[in-house]
Amino acid sequence: MKRRRLRELKRIYTKKEVLLNDKNQAVIKVFVHDLESVISPFSLQDNIVINSEFANFLNQHILATHLIHDINIQIKSNNLEKQEDILLIKEAIKNYYYEEAIISYRKIKNTIIKSVIFTFLAVIIFSLVIFLNHLNLLSAVATEIIDIAGWVFMWEAVDLFFIERPLNKYELLKNHKLVEAVVNYCDSN
């Protein structure tokens, strides 16, 4: 019963097709009320960025594209001065996601470093257990406790490298796709 229901839900939710334009770019259509609803009031110097609400909107809609296509953001509005405001929005999107890409890259680098450190600690702990067992300096319980500590470090290294790092790589790819996104004005036809 549950399996049949899951198949029905899968059919319902996998039907959504990615909207592609003639250049094979995934299209995200956005209606913008005015420039202030997109641009963040906070920025570093002249580095304008989009606000978090608009970023959440783009993040939510990019999930459906599977990131195999380039992104085309088509903006519709009744209150924008077409070319000038679109250029500001494009710059703000690029700046925001460029900063996010830097953060994603740093996360990848940090997870690799942590993974190597935890693997090294696990190897040291396992070597210590073998050495102490050879000298018969510890009881079986103490040896087992130290052995468990070594496996905890090893599992954490595996988790960071094989589970967390791919998630961070996906975030980096998503951010890069949005940095490279084509932003244009779509007439209200």
Side-chain angles (χ1 to χ4, degrees), residues 16 21 64 67 72 107 109 115 128 144 151 164 177:
K16 183 179 179 185
N21 63 10
L67 298 180
N72 182 317
K107 284 181 183 178
K109 198 166 86 172
S115 178
L128 182 66
E144 198 62 34
W151 282 111
E164 192 171 327
K177 290 282 186 177

Side-chain angles (χ1 to χ4, degrees), residues 79-97:
N79 300 327
L80 290 180
E81 295 176 22
K82 296 179 185 173
Q83 197 58 29
E84 298 164 9
D85 290 345
I86 295 300
L87 288 175
L88 278 175
I89 292 171
K90 184 176 183 174
E91 181 185 347
I93 290 171
K94 284 186 184 298
N95 291 341
Y96 180 87
Y97 284 105

Side-chain angles (χ1 to χ4, degrees), residues 53-139:
E53 187 176 6
F54 188 61
N56 287 338
F57 174 83
L58 291 176
N59 289 338
Q60 185 67 31
H61 284 79
I62 198 171
L63 291 176
T65 65
H66 309 294
L67 298 180
I68 57 175
H69 304 286
D70 290 334
I71 307 298
N72 182 317
I73 302 170
Q74 294 182 353
I75 297 177
K76 231 181 223 193
S77 178
N78 297 330
N79 300 327
L80 290 180
E81 295 176 22
K82 296 179 185 173
Q83 197 58 29
E84 298 164 9
D85 290 345
I86 295 300
L87 288 175
L88 278 175
I89 292 171
K90 184 176 183 174
E91 181 185 347
I93 290 171
K94 284 186 184 298
N95 291 341
Y96 180 87
Y97 284 105
Y98 183 79
E99 291 172 6
E100 291 294 313
I102 290 171
I103 292 168
S104 297
Y105 178 75
R106 287 180 183 162
K107 284 181 183 178
I108 291 170
K109 198 166 86 172
N110 286 340
T111 55
I112 291 171
I113 291 169
K114 286 179 189 175
S115 178
V116 168
I117 290 170
F118 287 155
T119 301
F120 184 68
L121 287 174
V123 168
I124 289 174
I125 290 172
F126 291 143
S127 300
L128 182 66
V129 167
I130 292 169
F131 178 71
L132 293 177
N133 273 342
H134 181 67
L135 297 177
N136 292 325
L137 293 176
L138 294 177
S139 67

